[in-house]
Amino acid sequence: MQSITNSTAEAAASQKDKSLLLRLDANIGNIVENYGFIVNAAWVNDPPVRNSQEVFVMKIRAFRMVHEGESLLKLVLELKKIARFSGFASLNDHMDQRTGEFTEPTEKI
């Protein structure tokens, strides 16, 4: 029963790792794409000639970059939580092991 629980937990952790990596790749890809678009849109030979649609699109791209940055911050927070909880899981395993070590001598008595 314990091995089934461990394998299920490992599979869930692996799936969680994959989803976090996909989110990370998507967020960074979106930031790079939006930054590239802003740089390309800003590259104009005649600065006074800028129509309002270009400015609007640049503002939208800048907003998307900020949104992706916030998403990355949330991802980091989630990773910190996972690190804390996985630390507690290993602590619980260690406590179970130590409890087993102490209960064996009492059973012999």
Side-chain angles (χ1 to χ4, degrees), residues 68-92:
E68 294 299 328
E70 290 173 350
S71 181
L72 282 173
L73 288 174
K74 289 177 185 176
L75 181 65
V76 168
L77 178 64
E78 190 172 339
L79 289 171
K80 286 181 179 180
K81 286 180 183 178
I82 289 171
R84 275 191 238 142
F85 289 133
S86 67
F88 287 128
S90 64
L91 180 62
N92 288 338

Side-chain angles (χ1 to χ4, degrees), residues 18-108:
K18 288 179 185 176
S19 70
L20 291 174
L21 285 174
L22 287 175
R23 281 177 48 195
L24 178 67
D25 288 341
N27 288 342
I28 292 175
N30 288 337
I31 288 173
V32 170
E33 176 188 346
N34 288 318
Y35 180 76
F37 182 84
I38 289 173
V39 169
N40 287 337
W43 191 263
V44 176
N45 292 335
D46 192 11
V49 178
R50 172 131 347 176
N51 79 32
S52 61
Q53 185 176 2
E54 286 178 340
V55 172
F56 179 71
V57 171
M58 288 174 64
K59 287 181 181 180
I60 288 175
R61 294 291 181 146
F63 171 76
R64 287 182 182 170
M65 286 178 63
V66 170
H67 178 70
E68 294 299 328
E70 290 173 350
S71 181
L72 282 173
L73 288 174
K74 289 177 185 176
L75 181 65
V76 168
L77 178 64
E78 190 172 339
L79 289 171
K80 286 181 179 180
K81 286 180 183 178
I82 289 171
R84 275 191 238 142
F85 289 133
S86 67
F88 287 128
S90 64
L91 180 62
N92 288 338
D93 291 342
H94 179 71
M95 288 176 58
D96 291 340
Q97 178 188 1
R98 295 291 286 170
T99 303
E101 291 174 8
F102 289 120
T103 55
E104 288 177 9
T106 59
E107 291 174 357
K108 291 179 183 178

